[in-house]
Amino acid sequence: MSSYIVSLDQGTTSSRAVLFNEQAQIVDITQREFTQHFLKPGWVEHDPLEIWECQLGVLTELLAKNNLKGVDIAAIGITNQRETTVLWDKNTGKPIYNAIVWQDKRTIETCEKLIDNDWEPIVREKTGLLVDAYFSGTKVKWILDNVEGARTLAQSGDLLFGTIDTWLIWNLTQGKVHATDCSNASRTMFFNINSAQWDGDLLKVLDIPSTILPMVKDSNAHFGDYQIDGINIPIRAVLGDQQAALYGQLSWQKGEAKNTYGTGCFMLLNTGEERVISDSGLLTTIAWRTNNTITYALEGSVFIAGSAVQWLRDGLQIIECAEQTEELANAADNEDHVVVVPAFSGLGTPYWDMSARGAVFGLSLGSGKAELARGTLQAIALQTYDVLTAMQNDSGIKLQALKVDGGAIANNYLAQFQADILEVAIERPKNLESTATGVAYMAGLGVGFWTEAFIQQQYDIDYRFNSNMAAEQREKYLARWKKAIKRTRGWLD
Ligand code: ADP
């Protein structure tokens, strides 16, 4: 009897392999970083072969370290950085260009042309996304237009496209399976989230031939097998990283949401089988499709969250480590109301203002590093307030509790202030590895390794932060925040 599930977590800066035992506990994690290529300003690339070798390396290391053989592994789940685009030759297995990473901005002009030609409302209606260089569509077009011979290869049916999940599945199955799941497909900007099919009109305007596209499967489908010691291990779950975190947080029901506090913040709200259209700059996306039923989500993004704390440490050098901000915030002067707006690269949901820039307001002679640290933590929570308010307005759903994960929410000051400002309880689970956990749960359920009832018992809260701030005080914080946001907007001409 197999006794483990393995998650492959392919992130933007590192690849990880995570081992779960029968009790659904994490037994071990192996991790390796890989090279980031910044060829020009705004360009970000990865070498797909390095990603594959790195992912295979951590998997092999995990098995060796724990003395595991093929018979010990019941199933594999894959979760990945989203939108990042790879095109490869199916005969040689070699990419025809590096992977163009989600952060890459080289296709902004193509996006502007699409917007000028009135494609934005069509893209929104069909895909739930905005026209943006962030998504795969214009990246695929760029490779096809700029790599010599790419279109000829596509015409002869020898070129394949994939997001990172597809690239890993193809390699794990030795080229047998060319497939993706609905959550990853929904981030390409040419997948119709209403019909759950590649969209002919969008493929045409982006000039992408349908011959290169992977088959789109349920997120909990059987994506082929990876052989270990001659034994076939089924790949039984595939989800984009934010969707995997939503699943791992057991936000399976309509109205349940999670927020991840990492470098930036990503909030996803499960809207069930209903596709909610946002008026407030949120994206509509597919959370997962299981057993042919789509679960939709609304998604909001804050660009700068934990990275503002890194700025205090590395830029201003007023703290030595991120954890120190908690003690400083607790010691800050209650009469001092420094407001930090960390709009270092513009503002995300709901403002989408790329010309906003960061600012610090309300400084007095008494303001020091404690007040700056507190203002920075509060800004993470206040930006999240803006996202959650947009979500509640668009969906009509009022949250009872917000499930959280990510490195920065270990900060108790931040977590308490977040609960206070949202008037919503913050549930911090013991296991903050929601992403890898999400696909482990899905894969384990798929092969009958666990039952849903068992998985639902796994949610173990480390701490529940209840809202505990007087309404008057909350209103003052929100008023100061709104005033500060207003003054940072449109800063760049
Ligand atoms: P990512 O996955 O985006 O790399 P992590 O989930 O690992 O991010 O979280 C790291 C981020 O959280 C960093 O930006 C760091 O500054 C911030 N962070 C980590 N610990 C704390 C803390 N105790 N208080 C505030 N911020 C923190």
Side-chain angles (χ1 to χ4, degrees):
M1 267 298 282
S2 307
S3 24
Y4 297 94
I5 300 283
V6 173
S7 285
L8 302 180
D9 180 359
Q10 206 303 302
T12 309
T13 56
S14 72
S15 299
R16 287 139 47 93
V18 185
L19 187 66
F20 292 79
N21 64 14
E22 282 172 9
Q23 289 75 46
Q25 288 157 345
I26 295 177
V27 180
D28 198 10
I29 302 179
T30 49
Q31 178 165 13
R32 272 186 218 167
E33 291 194 3
F34 56 86
T35 322
Q36 309 286 317
H37 300 274
F38 306 106
L39 300 179
K40 295 185 187 178
W43 289 34
V44 190
E45 296 182 1
H46 295 156
D47 174 354
L49 290 173
E50 189 187 357
I51 287 193
W52 163 237
E53 280 154 21
C54 177
Q55 191 65 66
L56 187 62
V58 289
L59 172 58
T60 311
E61 187 188 333
L62 186 80
L63 299 175
K65 252 176 92 188
N66 292 279
N67 271 324
L68 298 175
K69 299 261 176 291
V71 289
D72 299 316
I73 311 298
I76 294 175
I78 298 176
T79 178
N80 54 288
Q81 52 165 322
R82 305 178 300 174
E83 297 102 12
T84 298
T85 298
V86 190
L87 266 77
W88 68 97
D89 181 327
K90 81 169 183 196
N91 301 308
T92 64
K94 292 225 168 65
I96 61 162
Y97 191 77
N98 267 345
I100 303 186
V101 180
W102 58 273
Q103 298 148 319
D104 191 290
K105 301 279 183 216
R106 80 185 64 183
T107 58
I108 282 180
E109 271 180 31
T110 312
C111 293
E112 282 167 355
K113 270 191 210 139
L114 287 171
I115 294 168
D116 288 347
N117 290 325
D118 299 326
W119 278 91
E120 178 100 306
I122 303 168
V123 166
R124 267 197 93 68
E125 207 285 311
K126 287 173 179 280
T127 70
L129 308 174
L130 305 164
V131 174
D132 199 285
Y134 175 28
F135 307 110
S136 318
T138 55
K139 301 182 198 290
V140 180
K141 177 173 167 51
W142 189 94
I143 298 178
L144 288 169
D145 290 346
N146 288 278
V147 174
E148 215 186 308
R151 289 204 177 271
T152 320
L153 208 57
Q155 264 160 20
S156 61
D158 293 317
L159 190 67
L160 301 181
F161 152 75
T163 38
I164 293 294
D165 54 311
T166 305
W167 171 243
L168 292 179
I169 294 165
W170 195 81
N171 279 290
L172 285 164
T173 61
Q174 298 183 308
K176 289 196 191 81
V177 180
H178 182 224
T180 188
D181 91 296
C182 268
S183 74
N184 277 292
S186 76
R187 314 296 298 184
T188 56
M189 217 178 87
F190 48 84
F191 186 70
N192 190 314
I193 63 168
N194 308 305
S195 62
Q197 284 177 351
W198 300 117
D199 189 278
D201 295 339
L202 294 175
L203 289 170
K204 199 162 164 204
V205 70
L206 290 164
D207 204 7
I208 298 174
S210 57
T211 51
I212 67 173
L213 302 176
M215 175 192 272
V216 184
K217 291 178 163 247
D218 278 352
S219 310
N220 66 347
H222 182 192
F223 288 84
D225 302 308
Y226 174 61
Q227 275 209 347
I228 306 174
D229 310 319
I231 292 185
N232 284 335
I233 316 294
I235 304 167
R236 280 307 307 259
V238 174
L239 287 170
D241 51 10
Q242 297 304 325
Q243 285 93 332
L246 188 71
Y247 198 85
Q249 288 269 27
L250 301 182
S251 296
W252 295 358
Q253 302 301 324
K254 178 176 174 170
E256 293 181 327
K258 69 91 199 176
N259 196 25
T260 300
Y261 298 75
T263 311
C265 283
F266 287 93
M267 191 187 293
L268 264 72
L269 169 71
N270 181 329
T271 61
E273 290 179 43
E274 184 192 359
R275 186 213 149 158
V276 176
I277 297 172
S278 170
D279 299 320
S280 322
L282 300 166
L283 305 175
T284 309
T285 203
I286 293 183
W288 43 78
R289 192 181 74 191
T290 49
N291 313 324
N292 217 15
T293 302
I294 298 178
T295 298
Y296 291 97
L298 277 174
E299 175 170 326
S301 12
V302 169
F303 299 137
I304 307 285
S307 51
V309 175
Q310 278 165 268
W311 170 69
L312 296 178
R313 189 193 60 192
D314 306 334
L316 296 186
Q317 301 186 353
I318 59 172
I319 55 168
E320 268 158 25
C321 61
E323 292 74 22
Q324 221 184 322
T325 52
E326 182 173 334
E327 195 186 328
L328 282 170
N330 283 322
D333 182 352
N334 281 335
E335 297 306 313
D336 192 305
H337 299 296
V338 168
V339 180
V340 178
V341 184
F344 300 139
S345 53
L347 288 165
T349 310
Y351 309 102
W352 291 103
D353 184 346
M354 298 309 127
S355 63
R357 280 301 174 270
V360 181
F361 296 97
L363 289 169
S364 68
L365 269 180
S367 311
K369 63 180 185 179
E371 289 72 26
L372 270 177
R374 183 181 58 188
T376 303
L377 294 178
Q378 289 178 346
I380 298 174
L382 286 157
Q383 293 182 96
T384 298
Y385 169 88
D386 286 335
V387 173
L388 188 69
T389 305
M391 276 192 176
Q392 297 195 145
N393 287 344
D394 283 348
S395 65
I397 292 170
K398 176 99 179 76
L399 278 198
Q400 299 307 312
L402 179 64
K403 294 171 174 175
V404 296
D405 52 53
I409 206 64
N411 189 304
N412 293 317
Y413 179 88
L414 172 60
Q416 183 58 54
F417 186 78
Q418 185 70 87
D420 290 342
I421 215 72
L422 293 179
E423 289 186 272
V424 164
I426 295 295
E427 285 182 4
R428 188 171 68 191
K430 283 196 178 133
N431 171 12
L432 290 176
E433 296 287 344
S434 317
T435 307
T437 303
V439 282
Y441 285 172
M442 190 176 268
L445 288 170
V447 293
F449 192 72
W450 295 310
T451 62
E452 281 197 9
F454 173 78
I455 291 296
Q456 268 154 352
Q457 287 161 18
Q458 299 311 307
Y459 193 72
D460 201 358
I461 294 180
D462 161 50
Y463 202 83
R464 187 181 163 101
F465 296 85
N466 290 308
S467 185
N468 186 27
M469 185 185 271
E472 195 189 344
Q473 200 184 355
R474 181 181 311 109
E475 291 310 320
K476 281 187 183 156
Y477 274 117
L478 293 174
R480 279 195 293 268
W481 174 247
K482 283 192 185 117
K483 199 152 75 170
I485 284 281
K486 208 165 156 190
R487 291 180 188 191
T488 60
R489 298 199 56 186
W491 178 257
L492 298 183
D493 294 322

